[in-house]
Amino acid sequence: AAGVIQSPRHLIKEKRETATLKCYPIPRHDTVYWYQQGPGQDPQFLISFYEKMQSDKGSIPDRFSAQQFSDYHSELNMSSLELGDSALYFCASSKGTSGTDTQYFGPGTRLTVL
Amino acid sequence: GQSLEQPSEVTAVEGAIVQINCTYQTSGFYGLSWYQQHDGGAPTFLSYNALDGLEETGRFSSFLSRSDSYGYLLLQELQMKDSASYFCAASGSARQLTFGSGTQLTVLP
């Protein structure tokens, strides 16, 4: 079965640079979620989209923005990168927006900020 | 908001049974999910409980008691490959998942 695809899998950036992470949800899934997971931490919710509209917002810094496109893929844009942004970034997708809809996670993008 | 508590570490031997508990404090609680995560890997969905009771999926079972704000994940016939972090996660009216801090399970030969 098709899974969530994320690219790139690894990304190395310098401080103050920008980064763009991409997520391709499972086919026919209409909701995308972004999570950030620091070393030894649990995943923290950043933002979600349903039918190309922002659905919920979590602890996403103002330096970050995201959107969902007409083909349902999503991009997370990160500017003025800081050392503390080094983390695993996961995208998850679900079909529907009910709190009971199972979220399936992609393999993640490991961002390292030097 | 939501907060979840689970033990930080559990150790068991191959073939044994282990239970990982999770207590939660939430508003607008819909259900409790369990995810497995190997080092550097993606959280993998294991089980979901919306109603009280036991859900069984192969060697894994999950239980929920809404009145006690408590759930657990039961792993039977432990295998070495089960060594991983296990997260409980609550979903609510805000549809994002709120994760517990994770339980590191170590399976010994």
Side-chain angles (χ1 to χ4, degrees):
Chain A
V4 177
I5 297 171
Q6 291 187 246
S7 67
R9 295 293 310 277
H10 301 272
L11 190 58
I12 299 175
K13 291 286 185 178
E14 301 275 344
K15 279 196 310 184
R16 292 180 289 279
E17 286 190 323
T18 61
T20 298
L21 280 54
K22 296 185 179 182
C23 168
Y24 297 85
I26 292 171
R28 291 179 293 282
H29 280 196
D30 48 23
T31 308
V32 168
Y33 312 78
W34 286 96
Y35 292 84
Q36 177 193 59
Q37 186 176 28
Q41 305 294 315
D42 57 285
Q44 294 289 317
F45 172 74
L46 294 178
I47 195 167
S48 64
F49 292 86
Y50 167 67
E51 287 290 346
K52 293 150 278 184
M53 299 288 289
Q54 182 180 307
S55 178
D56 292 295
K57 199 171 183 180
S59 51
I60 184 169
D62 291 341
R63 299 177 289 108
F64 294 5
S65 65
Q67 59 181 332
Q68 186 180 31
F69 295 85
S70 58
D71 63 351
Y72 294 100
H73 94 272
S74 178
E75 294 183 4
L76 178 66
N77 299 292
M78 310 160 71
S79 62
S80 302
L81 286 169
E82 302 173 355
L83 296 178
D85 296 329
S86 294
L88 269 169
Y89 290 84
F90 290 105
C91 170
S93 74
S94 70
K95 183 168 178 56
T97 59
S98 164
T100 63
D101 296 318
T102 298
Q103 295 183 27
Y104 295 93
F105 284 72
T109 294
R110 182 176 295 280
L111 173 65
T112 302
V113 181
L114 302 175
Chain B
Q2 299 175 336
S3 67
L4 298 92
E5 288 191 14
Q6 52 182 126
S8 59
E9 294 178 337
V10 172
T11 301
V13 296
E14 258 187 313
I17 300 172
V18 72
Q19 178 174 312
I20 300 173
N21 298 319
C22 175
T23 58
Y24 59 88
Q25 292 182 327
T26 70
S27 56
F29 176 80
Y30 278 19
L32 194 69
S33 299
W34 288 91
Y35 286 83
Q36 177 194 63
Q37 187 179 32
H38 287 95
D39 277 347
T44 301
F45 173 76
L46 294 177
S47 187
Y48 174 75
N49 294 73
L51 303 175
D52 285 1
L54 193 67
E55 292 284 340
E56 298 180 76
T57 309
R59 294 187 297 114
F60 296 169
S61 302
S62 59
F63 172 83
L64 177 66
S65 169
R66 296 175 75 103
S67 60
D68 295 323
S69 297
Y70 163 77
Y72 66 73
L73 178 70
L74 191 72
L75 298 87
Q76 302 181 75
E77 300 172 18
L78 281 174
Q79 302 175 9
M80 297 294 289
K81 68 178 182 180
D82 296 331
S83 291
S85 291
Y86 292 83
F87 292 91
C88 58
S91 54
S93 52
R95 289 166 289 275
Q96 70 265 27
L97 292 172
T98 300
F99 285 82
S101 54
T103 298
Q104 178 65 48
L105 170 64
T106 302
V107 181
L108 301 175

